[in-house]
Amino acid sequence: MSATTIAASASPPSKVLPGLAHALVQAELLPRTLVEQIHQRSQETRSSFIATLIGSGSMNAPDLAHWVSKTFSLPLLDLDAYDPTRLATGAIDSKIIQGYKVLPLLKRGNRLVVATADPADHEAEDKIKFQSQAQIELVVVEYDKLTRIIDQAGQSANSQISALVGEDFDLGDLSDGSEATETKDQQAAEVDDAPVVRFLQKMLIDAINMRASDLHFEPFEHFYRIRFRVDGELREIAQPPASIKEKLASRIKVISKLDIAERRVPQDGRMKLRVSPEKSIDFRVSTLPTLYGEKIVMRILDSSAAKLGIDALGYEPEEREKLVRAIHRPYGMILVTGPTGSGKTVSLYTCLNLLNQPGVNISTAEDPAEINLPGVNQVNVNEKAGLTFANALRAFLRQDPDIIMVGEIRDLETADISIKAAQTGHLVLSTVHTNDAPTTLTRLMNMGVPAFNIASSVILITAQRLARKLCSQCKTPADLPAETLLEAGFQEEDLDGRWKPYKAGKCNACGGTGYKGRVGIYQVMPISEEIQRIILNHGTAMDIAEQARKEGVRSLRESGLLKVKQGVTSLEEIIAVTNE
């Protein structure tokens, strides 16, 4: 036997290398001894082979990603070009994402696209398949970019809350707003479904951070979708496994004091997220049975919105002066009109906040009370129990009120009592669902309210819409022809060259939409003697609108065009929200 043979037989057997390390040796990209050393170091430091490989300087992340993509015949994706807000992070448990350094990019039906730097890690792929019950499609990405996004996307809900309201917040303080304790069975269910609890908390915190107004949890046959309404538009946020839908619905219903066994009829409730001893955010919860489970919509009710002040609502100076003058009248009726989601409640509560003084008795009847305002007596209408708007108003009149707010005038009985209250020394604020201020008056007449009662009680009507504000960081001048501006409603004298319209751009600050936040557009119409005369003569909405225009009242479109001149929003947005 030769010396060479003896030496070979005396040498220790080769170590079993993981998939990626073995592939590097097979391709002769790195010497086996070096790969074995890196593998041993990764085991000693309890880090992944690929992290130790790149950390050693033996290969850099871009070169490794290109080689892996070619060797394993998988597509290569540059994560710098991917929008991190579109990640399907709810599709895989965060422990798998962090532990195996994988990133769920997209979930469509039963197909889940996952980014990885090491497609040879079959254990990770098996874990993902088992947990998501989906068909996995791998794409290769650079390891350093992958870990950076995972670190950003994988922040715990606790750290997100801490960044929002301080370090003293105890995660999990979700309740129905009452002091009652949960049963042992409910507490046990929470422990068993801890991932569902954490997922729900993360969704709530994400919604608050994104300034969303509503959260939609929507079950379908093959997938489950979560969308947020941000600046009036719905955005898809996550597609968690469809198997989560029943547990998530049960968790929401438990803390909203709803019947978790009842899945056949809609239910309404409330829940509270206490973010600190001094601050909590309420959610209004609505469930709806659909073909594939219960759809749940949660509306965020942030009381701070009503305390921003009237200047934050977007009124022009002359419109604000008209409104403030009207709400400080000793009696009369002020009506706010507009479609659902146009900010009527915030406007009413902003007015109440201005009037909320120790010497004033304010009572409100709402369905339900959306904003909690200390110092105001708020009543939730409950028609099943017999507490209607009309009954609440009758009770208010026996409670020595100064100011009454009615959530909505829906019928003749409520309108009649409200108007009588306004005629007998009370200031009454309410809403009506009409398109603009002039049609509100004719709507009351169509309900059956006598014209002389309307003329003697209503002192001001404000119609409103909410338009998205252009992002200040990416808005760009829009080159619009004069014909387009004139067709939209501008006058020849407006096109004097001293201003320019802007259009939406794209940047990270606005999530690529070009818009960030919303601004109110208002038509503020005081009821003058001439308009009272038209009402008494049973004039039409067109007659009232023509007189209001003579008195300098802007239409909603004209108010919107003023915001375009100021560079606050785009012409496209104003045309969309004031489609006349």
Side-chain angles (χ1 to χ4, degrees):
M1 186 179 291
S2 65
T4 305
T5 305
I6 294 172
S9 61
S11 63
S14 299
K15 295 179 179 179
V16 178
L17 297 172
L20 184 60
H22 180 72
L24 288 167
V25 173
Q26 287 288 98
E28 299 182 352
L29 204 63
L30 293 174
R32 183 180 185 88
T33 54
L34 176 60
V35 173
E36 288 180 347
Q37 289 172 6
I38 294 171
H39 174 49
Q40 184 175 353
R41 197 181 312 151
S42 71
Q43 290 182 317
E44 292 171 353
T45 59
R46 295 185 178 182
S47 58
S48 68
F49 171 79
I50 192 169
T52 310
L53 173 65
I54 294 173
S56 69
S58 302
M59 289 192 74
N60 61 43
D63 290 344
L64 180 62
H66 280 82
W67 178 81
V68 168
S69 172
K70 184 177 179 181
T71 303
F72 291 86
S73 300
L74 292 172
L76 179 66
L77 175 69
D78 183 5
L79 282 177
D80 285 342
Y82 195 84
D83 183 2
T85 62
R86 298 181 63 85
L87 293 173
T89 48
I92 303 177
D93 188 88
S94 59
K95 291 181 181 178
I96 296 178
I97 294 174
Q98 293 285 349
Y100 291 95
K101 299 303 178 189
V102 291
L103 195 63
L105 300 178
L106 177 71
K107 191 169 193 303
R108 284 289 183 270
N110 197 41
R111 184 172 65 94
L112 179 63
V113 180
V114 178
T116 179
D118 184 3
D121 189 349
H122 298 301
E123 182 183 347
E125 187 174 355
D126 291 341
K127 290 259 187 186
I128 297 169
K129 283 181 180 178
F130 179 77
Q131 197 258 328
S132 66
Q133 295 296 303
Q135 179 182 346
I136 307 302
E137 296 182 13
L138 297 177
V139 296
V140 177
V141 295
E142 297 173 30
Y143 183 77
D144 54 350
K145 295 179 180 178
L146 175 66
T147 54
R148 185 177 70 246
I149 290 186
I150 288 175
D151 289 343
Q152 293 171 352
Q155 292 178 349
S156 66
N158 195 22
S159 64
Q160 293 183 43
I161 280 286
S162 297
L164 183 66
V165 295
E167 297 294 331
D168 297 331
F169 177 71
D170 180 17
L171 181 65
D173 196 359
L174 281 167
S175 68
D176 58 14
S178 69
E179 298 301 321
T181 57
E182 295 179 344
T183 66
K184 290 183 179 179
D185 290 340
Q186 292 170 353
Q187 291 170 351
E190 287 180 28
V191 173
D192 292 340
D193 296 333
V196 173
V197 175
R198 290 197 301 271
F199 178 73
L200 174 60
Q201 290 165 339
K202 184 181 186 307
M203 289 295 100
L204 298 180
I205 299 310
D206 286 347
I208 293 168
N209 288 339
M210 293 176 66
R211 299 171 292 105
S213 60
D214 302 87
L215 298 84
H216 293 242
F217 299 84
E218 302 170 307
F220 296 95
E221 184 175 9
H222 299 298
F223 66 99
Y224 191 66
R225 180 175 67 181
I226 296 176
R227 295 190 291 173
F228 295 170
R229 188 175 294 278
V230 182
D231 294 337
E233 287 195 339
L234 281 171
R235 300 182 189 176
E236 184 172 319
I237 300 301
Q239 281 200 15
S243 58
I244 201 178
K245 61 184 180 184
E246 292 184 0
K247 291 182 178 179
L248 192 58
S250 295
R251 171 63 182 164
I252 293 172
K253 289 164 78 173
V254 164
I255 56 182
S256 304
K257 294 193 91 172
L258 301 178
D259 185 354
I260 62 173
E262 180 56 79
R263 300 176 182 176
R264 300 165 300 174
V265 296
Q267 297 187 67
D268 294 297
R270 292 175 75 97
M271 57 179 285
K272 184 188 294 287
L273 176 63
R274 189 173 298 281
V275 294
S276 74
E278 298 79 24
K279 181 177 175 62
S280 61
I281 295 176
D282 292 312
F283 295 81
R284 190 176 73 193
V285 180
S286 172
T287 71
L288 178 69
T290 66
L291 285 176
Y292 302 106
E294 289 181 287
K295 175 181 177 179
I296 299 176
V297 176
M298 303 173 68
R299 168 155 288 189
I300 299 176
L301 309 175
D302 191 355
S303 300
S304 61
K307 300 175 184 178
L308 294 175
I310 197 166
D311 293 335
L313 298 181
Y315 283 94
E316 297 300 324
E318 61 272 23
E319 293 172 343
R320 183 176 64 247
E321 185 182 349
K322 292 175 183 176
L323 179 61
V324 171
R325 192 185 308 128
I327 65 174
H328 283 96
R329 294 267 293 270
Y331 58 88
M333 176 180 281
I334 297 171
L335 297 174
V336 180
T337 182
T340 301
S342 60
K344 300 187 298 295
T345 302
V346 172
S347 294
L348 283 175
Y349 267 93
T350 301
C351 293
L352 289 181
N353 198 43
L354 290 175
L355 298 169
N356 189 16
Q357 302 296 329
V360 178
N361 181 15
I362 303 176
S363 296
T364 74
E366 302 164 80
D367 185 21
E370 294 190 0
I371 296 174
N372 180 27
L373 199 59
V376 174
N377 306 289
Q378 297 173 270
V379 174
N380 274 335
V381 168
N382 186 343
E383 295 192 1
K384 290 182 180 178
L387 182 57
T388 63
F389 279 117
N391 288 339
L393 279 169
R394 290 191 185 96
F396 288 168
L397 295 176
R398 295 190 291 271
Q399 293 273 319
D400 186 29
D402 297 303
I403 299 168
I404 296 172
M405 195 270 272
V406 185
E408 183 184 349
I409 294 179
R410 300 173 179 171
D411 51 52
L412 175 58
E413 186 180 17
T414 306
D416 188 49
I417 299 172
S418 300
I419 283 176
K420 287 178 179 176
Q423 291 172 329
T424 54
H426 307 91
L427 183 66
V428 180
L429 291 79
S430 188
T431 70
V432 181
H433 283 281
T434 54
N435 290 329
D436 58 14
T439 55
T440 304
L441 295 169
T442 55
R443 171 69 184 278
L444 292 174
M445 285 190 274
N446 291 337
M447 280 186 184
V449 181
F452 64 87
N453 278 343
I454 299 173
S456 62
S457 60
V458 180
I459 57 176
L460 181 136
I461 302 173
T462 173
Q464 65 182 72
R465 300 287 189 277
L466 287 177
R468 293 179 297 168
K469 294 167 65 176
L470 286 167
C471 175
S472 59
Q473 296 189 27
C474 66
K475 68 178 183 180
T476 56
D479 186 17
L480 299 176
E483 294 79 9
T484 301
L485 297 173
L486 292 172
E487 185 178 345
F490 283 105
Q491 303 300 317
E492 289 283 357
E493 55 268 23
D494 294 325
L495 310 183
D496 53 12
R498 292 187 295 179
W499 62 277
K500 55 186 176 183
Y502 285 86
K503 63 181 180 180
K506 286 186 177 181
C507 72
N508 292 331
C510 60
T513 63
Y515 297 92
K516 190 173 182 181
R518 290 194 287 178
V519 66
I521 297 168
Y522 304 94
Q523 178 187 31
V524 180
M525 187 180 79
I527 306 303
S528 64
E529 291 184 1
E530 285 299 321
I531 293 178
Q532 287 178 334
R533 192 170 291 112
I534 294 172
I535 296 170
L536 291 171
N537 291 330
H538 298 278
T540 65
M542 293 180 63
D543 297 330
I544 297 169
E546 184 179 349
Q547 179 59 34
R549 191 173 292 109
K550 291 178 182 177
E551 296 175 5
V553 176
R554 296 189 189 94
S555 67
L556 284 167
R557 173 61 64 85
E558 289 168 344
S559 293
L561 295 179
L562 192 57
K563 294 289 190 288
V564 174
K565 287 183 69 174
Q566 295 167 353
V568 174
T569 188
S570 65
L571 183 61
E572 293 83 2
E573 180 70 6
I574 292 304
I575 291 173
V577 300
T578 61
N579 191 11
E580 298 177 345

